[in-house]
Amino acid sequence: MEFNLFMGDIVESARNEITQAGFEELRTPEDVKVALSKSGTTLVMVNSTCGCAGGVARPAAASAIHYDKRPEQLVTVFAGQDREATEVARQYFEGYEPSSPSFALLKDGQILKMVERHEIEGHSPVEVVNKLQGLFDQYCEEV
């Protein structure tokens, strides 16, 4: 199988998995600016094609949002695919190095906390769900 075709299938599958979980995909810098300028809490999932994204981060994202408290807005950018959108999103993550997969929790466009790759890779989805829900308890309202 041709590599680009194979990778296209993987990328499409990764995109579908997170959007079917309820996250809005931000594919352009303008999409990011509009979404992250909204008031309230926003969870940004920085998606990727690596194994820890598919095996841990996306399943954790899909599960963590089924909770009494959660961010008002759920969005995703795709590192390595929608590069300009991801670059603009990372400008909001002040104080954190680029990391994918990762999660950023923002309020009114300001970074509150991140769950970085080193907190995802080598951990179970349940551990990441617990970390995310701990942040939701701390910073989000009941839905």
Side-chain angles (χ1 to χ4, degrees):
M1 173 181 263
E2 182 189 337
F3 180 76
N4 288 335
L5 182 60
F6 173 72
M7 284 307 295
D9 288 345
I10 289 174
V11 168
E12 191 62 29
S13 177
R15 286 185 192 280
N16 290 338
E17 186 177 352
I18 197 66
T19 57
Q20 288 174 0
F23 285 70
E24 176 189 356
E25 194 169 35
L26 308 177
R27 297 189 73 172
T28 68
E30 294 75 28
D31 291 344
V32 172
K33 290 174 187 174
V34 168
L36 299 189
S37 69
K38 292 180 181 177
S39 63
T41 52
T42 300
L43 181 66
V44 181
M45 192 252 180
V46 180
N47 202 355
S48 76
T49 58
C50 70
C52 64
V56 180
R58 288 192 300 273
S63 181
I65 60 174
H66 299 285
Y67 195 60
D68 291 341
K69 292 183 176 183
R70 73 169 208 187
E72 296 161 271
Q73 184 174 218
L74 305 169
V75 299
T76 182
V77 294
F78 207 128
Q81 301 302 311
D82 302 322
R83 292 174 188 201
E84 295 84 10
T86 303
E87 184 178 314
V88 170
R90 285 178 170 155
Q91 292 172 5
Y92 288 82
F93 310 158
E94 190 173 322
Y96 292 93
E97 293 294 320
S99 175
S100 61
S102 62
F103 297 94
L105 184 62
L106 295 93
K107 183 168 186 174
D108 302 331
Q110 300 297 309
I111 187 73
L112 296 170
K113 294 283 185 179
M114 281 199 73
V115 177
E116 299 174 89
R117 180 186 179 108
H118 69 87
E119 298 171 279
I120 297 168
E121 187 175 32
H123 293 83
S124 72
V126 171
E127 290 172 307
V128 177
V129 166
N130 290 337
K131 183 170 270 303
L132 289 170
Q133 289 178 342
L135 294 176
F136 300 168
D137 279 335
Q138 190 173 358
Y139 295 106
C140 300
E141 301 293 322
E142 279 194 40
V143 290

